[in-house]
Amino acid sequence: MRGRMSWDDLWPLLLNGTLETIYMVGLAAFFTVLIGLPVGVLLFVSRGNGLAPMPKLNALLGAVINFGRSLPFIVLLIALIPFTRALIGTTLGSTAAVVPVTIGAFPFFARLTENALDEVDYGRIEAILSMGGNLWHVIAKALLPEALPTLLASITLTIVMLIGFSSMAGVIGGGGLGDLAIRYGYQRFNDQVMVGTVVILVALVQGVQMAGDRLVRRLAHRR
């Protein structure tokens, strides 16, 4: 399949790669938020001047988050191959790629969550505490609801980053458009595949960004 391909050959490859990318990004986004949101909340409340001061825990979490954010993703991909194989049973395919993609993304989202909670008016927190509310009441009734628009913007930004991560996962056979671009585009010198994957990736990023921005604006107007 070196050189040019007919549309009948190219279309199934692009469709399958797109579906694998959407599956990979969707699953990774779910686990990224599932892990990153509570970690970000814990970072916020455990500060020295926070709602539940735990300086040692906060310092440890901060160090882990900063290390995860500073490590190049391509290095993380390779370093996590043994862990991914032990957890999933293989390092190939979209499901296996979810592991390093999630681990690479959740520190970023955790820090965004902490920053989003910083923007909440402390007066709302004090009002709940003055009425006898506890830490969980503050988190559920003040922090998360008030920070929701910013959190949604952070999720949008994270999903856009996950699309890029999913493409890089193709380096280790992670499936999706990145794997397609490497195996059928780069290695076989097929410009059609390269251009097709780039166009689809740009369209995915633009679609996610536009949908996220629209949802954030709608929530902001309602508030």
Side-chain angles (χ1 to χ4, degrees):
M1 294 173 65
R2 183 186 178 97
R4 295 190 63 81
M5 299 172 60
S6 68
W7 177 250
D8 290 338
D9 292 329
L10 182 59
W11 165 248
L13 289 175
L14 291 175
L15 177 60
N16 184 64
T18 302
L19 293 177
E20 286 185 352
T21 294
I22 292 173
Y23 163 77
M24 192 191 318
V25 170
L27 201 57
F30 171 77
F31 286 115
T32 296
V33 174
L34 187 67
I35 300 170
L37 183 64
V39 171
V41 172
L42 188 56
L43 278 169
F44 178 79
V45 302
S46 64
R47 295 171 175 175
N49 60 345
L51 298 169
M54 292 176 279
K56 292 183 179 179
L57 177 61
N58 186 270
L60 177 62
L61 282 177
V64 171
I65 294 301
N66 290 336
F67 175 77
R69 293 175 62 201
S70 63
L71 192 65
F73 183 65
I74 190 65
V75 175
L76 185 67
L77 273 175
I78 298 171
L80 288 176
I81 286 177
F83 176 72
T84 302
R85 184 182 292 113
L87 186 64
I88 306 296
T90 181
T91 60
L92 302 177
S94 300
T95 301
V98 169
V99 176
V101 169
T102 300
I103 293 176
F106 93 84
F108 177 77
F109 182 70
R111 192 63 79 183
L112 289 179
T113 297
E114 181 188 19
N115 293 338
L117 299 180
D118 264 330
E119 299 180 8
V120 176
D121 182 8
Y122 200 79
R124 297 293 301 272
I125 298 174
E126 291 179 329
I128 293 176
L129 292 175
S130 66
M131 292 185 292
N134 57 29
L135 177 62
W136 299 111
H137 292 137
V138 171
I139 294 172
K141 297 183 180 297
L143 290 178
L144 295 181
E146 290 296 316
L148 185 57
T150 307
L151 286 174
L152 286 175
S154 300
I155 291 173
T156 300
L157 183 60
T158 301
I159 293 176
V160 169
M161 184 182 69
L162 287 172
I163 294 174
F165 279 4
S166 72
S167 300
M168 283 189 279
V171 173
I172 60 169
L177 291 168
D179 185 48
L180 177 63
I182 292 172
R183 289 196 296 121
Y184 289 90
Y186 175 72
Q187 293 179 352
R188 304 189 185 193
F189 306 100
N190 193 314
D191 293 339
Q192 290 173 284
V193 175
M194 294 296 291
V195 171
T197 54
V198 168
V199 169
I200 294 173
L201 286 170
V202 170
L204 287 175
V205 169
Q206 292 297 324
V208 168
Q209 191 66 61
M210 290 174 62
D213 290 345
R214 186 172 183 177
L215 183 57
V216 169
R217 286 195 299 268
R218 184 174 298 178
L219 282 174
H221 289 158
R222 287 181 179 178
R223 298 172 71 85

